[in-house]
Amino acid sequence: MTVTLRLPSVLKVAVGADRVRIEGATVGEALEAAFAALPNLRRHLLLANGELRPHALCLVNGEVLRRRGFRDRALRDGDEILIHQAISGG
């Protein structure tokens, strides 16, 4: 499946892209393809144990995925994965 991964502008600065077309039958496969294309992305999205960082949300076609098992979510050709990150500060 060919899907689009959209990233927030803060990640665009860090990894050099805000949108990438990738292949994957599941969110996990698609993210691994994105990590291969954008090597710095993994450390910005995932903890050492492979879970999403607490400040990150993963959405597929507007549906917020649960943190547990998000990698197993099946994808269809043309789906859009959106990573949303909270930004804090004062």
Side-chain angles (χ1 to χ4, degrees):
M1 309 297 150
T2 301
V3 299
T4 301
L5 173 66
R6 287 185 36 216
L7 301 169
S9 58
V10 68
L11 281 180
K12 179 181 180 182
V13 171
V15 301
D18 64 351
R19 186 179 301 255
V20 62
R21 301 274 296 161
I22 47 180
E23 299 285 326
T26 64
V27 169
E29 288 178 14
L31 286 178
E32 288 302 322
F35 298 151
L38 305 167
N40 289 329
L41 183 59
R42 181 184 303 270
R43 70 184 178 95
H44 290 286
L45 290 187
L46 301 181
L47 298 170
N49 65 5
E51 292 182 15
L52 280 174
R53 290 191 172 278
H55 62 276
L57 289 177
C58 182
L59 297 86
V60 173
N61 301 327
E63 173 192 346
V64 177
L65 302 184
R66 293 181 183 192
R67 292 186 144 340
R68 291 211 182 261
F70 77 98
R71 291 175 165 271
D72 298 328
R73 168 65 153 72
L75 297 172
R76 294 179 306 213
D77 200 46
D79 279 354
E80 180 179 80
I81 301 169
L82 171 66
I83 301 299
H84 182 72
Q85 286 188 301
I87 299 174
S88 61

